[in-house]
Amino acid sequence: MKIAIASGKGGTGKTTLSTNLASFIAESRECVLSDLDVEEPNSGLFIKAELIHEEDKFKMIPEWEKSKCELCGNCQAVCNFNAVLKMGKMIMVFPELCHGCYACSELCPTDSLPMKQKKMGELKFYKKGNLNFIESKLIIGEEQAVPLIKQTIDYVDEKFGEDVIKIFDSPPGTSCPVIEATKDADFVILVTEPTPFGLHDLKLAVETVKQMEKPFGVVINRHGIGNDGVEMYCREDNIDIIARIPNDRLIAEIYSRGELLYSTIPSVKEAVKSISNYVDKFNSQKKRETK
Amino acid sequence: MKIVFTAKGTDMDAAMDPRFGRTEYFVIYDEDTKSVESYDNRAIEGEAHGAGPKTAQKLAEYGAEVLITGNGPGGNAGTALKATGTEIYVGAGDMTVTEAYEAYKAGSLKKA
């Protein structure tokens, strides 16, 4: 069972919810938390666990070999990202723009653009009891989050079976990295705040998950601030509000110390418990349907 | 010497466009023949990625020896322009093309 925790707006509480939910679930069974916000992963600030494995992650980019090249320009014609350009009498490759699609390499009539490995980031695997925490981080200067997100999900899938609860802390927004982080999910939790900003970006996120035909629900964080716009929108569109986490100064204080909330704050424990129950119910219903 | 300016219009009176990759036009001034050409670069709006290198490539096609612009090209475009040996001068973003040319001649523009 894969749950992606996403949001339109940044800073709504994806990581807060992911880390607390995963730790809560891990009290009773095996759970994987994976931080897919590879441009700025921060779940690790809240998870104190033992590092058991780390590895470099690579993407494949073309490298120009001058000797056989006839400068036909086919490579730049097939590149959608201007990552391969013919500049006078040479072919230039811009590794940061390359999406690793192989088109230029495969379609080169003289095999002058063989694909070569390039390090794009690092994956780390931590463990504490039932909680497995896997995070990846792009190295500075790398622009492409998608390939690293994909490889991280593949790693999680390789190590853990279908029966384990997998929680994916996704990047914010609605662009390619978010699509990559949520497209394999069985269920998407959209975290929002009850403000006009929160509502605006929630609508974008809802549009996105609807287009991907993903079942989803909403968690309202910092409940009590702002207005009732999010509540009204969810009611009108028949969107389940799975939980409401109240706005509480103590939450901010504990969070700022890099600590988990649910063991000290009853309202947070209540929220993660109801989310966990909701997800379980969804999962067993799904299992019945597929049988 | 062919000098290319990033501009918001097509002649020497046009305002400079401080951007390189997404500049609206180039004004190309040939010092030898005193002729002025221009290139409409606005199609670059449709490029989500790699506007800089793409524009640099266009510049190379014109055989530009000197580029005069505002903020200066980014990393990728800079790499591409260095490879073709184009000299880059920046800091002319608030001028007209003529003013930028005069500043270049007077040596008051910064070489990037």
Side-chain angles (χ1 to χ4, degrees), chain A residues 4-277:
Chain A
I5 300 194
S7 73
K9 188 181 172 302
T12 56
K14 287 180 297 301
T15 297
T16 305
L17 179 60
S18 302
T19 51
N20 280 278
L21 181 63
S23 301
F24 173 79
I25 291 172
E27 285 184 351
S28 58
R29 61 197 142 139
E30 183 152 51
C31 179
V32 186
L33 168 64
S34 183
D35 195 340
L36 298 180
D37 191 1
V38 300
E39 288 171 273
E40 40 195 356
N42 59 353
S43 286
L45 299 172
F46 302 90
I47 304 290
K48 277 106 196 146
E50 194 195 338
L51 178 67
I52 58 167
H53 175 75
E54 57 187 313
E55 63 185 54
D56 289 343
K57 288 292 182 193
F58 299 90
K59 66 174 186 177
M60 302 299 285
I61 56 156
E63 203 176 88
W64 183 48
E65 279 177 10
K66 195 178 171 181
S67 56
K68 292 173 287 177
C69 179
E70 289 163 1
L71 295 165
C72 69
N74 194 44
C75 47
Q76 69 169 10
V78 298
C79 184
N80 269 335
F81 303 99
N82 294 319
V84 187
L85 288 180
K86 191 176 125 186
M87 296 287 291
K89 285 200 161 33
M90 65 179 134
I91 303 294
M92 292 190 80
V93 176
F94 299 92
E96 283 76 28
L97 295 172
C98 177
H99 284 52
C101 76
Y102 282 68
C104 63
S105 183
E106 292 289 321
L107 298 170
C108 174
T110 57
D111 291 328
S112 297
L113 286 162
M115 299 298 278
K116 298 269 164 76
Q117 271 195 344
K118 180 176 189 281
K119 184 179 169 184
M120 65 172 160
E122 284 156 12
L123 177 147
K124 288 186 173 151
F125 181 178
Y126 300 82
K127 195 168 174 64
K128 185 185 159 196
N130 277 330
L131 181 64
N132 304 279
F133 172 56
I134 294 165
E135 69 160 17
S136 286
K137 195 187 252 176
L138 275 180
I139 54 177
I140 289 170
E142 274 301 314
E143 293 175 19
Q144 304 294 332
V146 170
L148 186 54
I149 293 171
K150 184 180 184 323
Q151 287 188 29
T152 308
I153 296 174
D154 288 348
Y155 182 87
V156 170
D157 283 345
E158 226 172 79
K159 297 278 169 203
F160 300 93
E162 283 287 310
D163 46 326
V164 179
I165 297 268
K166 299 168 184 167
I167 294 169
F168 293 113
D169 186 5
S170 306
T174 52
S175 62
C176 298
V178 181
I179 308 297
E180 193 62 38
T182 53
K183 74 178 185 195
D184 285 339
D186 299 298
F187 191 83
V188 181
I189 295 174
L190 297 175
V191 189
T192 187
E193 56 176 41
T195 62
F197 294 119
L199 175 60
H200 177 270
D201 289 0
L202 174 66
K203 284 180 181 169
L204 296 175
V206 167
E207 242 176 81
T208 310
V209 289
K210 275 188 177 165
Q211 231 175 77
M212 292 196 290
E213 298 181 349
K214 293 281 170 202
F216 68 98
V218 165
V219 168
I220 300 178
N221 191 18
R222 304 191 66 197
H223 185 63
I225 63 166
N227 58 27
D228 61 355
V230 169
E231 299 266 354
M232 276 163 59
Y233 166 70
C234 290
R235 203 176 311 138
E236 278 164 24
D237 278 43
N238 281 322
I239 297 167
D240 273 1
I241 297 174
I242 308 168
R244 295 170 181 82
I245 301 168
N247 187 48
D248 183 343
R249 190 189 158 87
L250 188 57
I251 291 180
E253 286 174 13
I254 295 174
Y255 169 90
S256 71
R257 291 198 293 267
E259 291 166 16
L260 292 173
L261 305 163
Y262 73 95
S263 43
T264 13
I265 300 182
S267 62
V268 176
K269 185 159 193 165
E270 213 43 57
V272 288
K273 209 186 217 168
S274 52
I275 296 165
S276 170
N277 288 341

Side-chain angles (χ1 to χ4, degrees), chain B residues 101-112:
Chain B
Y101 178 63
E102 283 162 4
Y104 160 72
K105 277 300 193 195
S108 59
L109 292 180
K110 201 174 141 224
K111 195 170 175 185

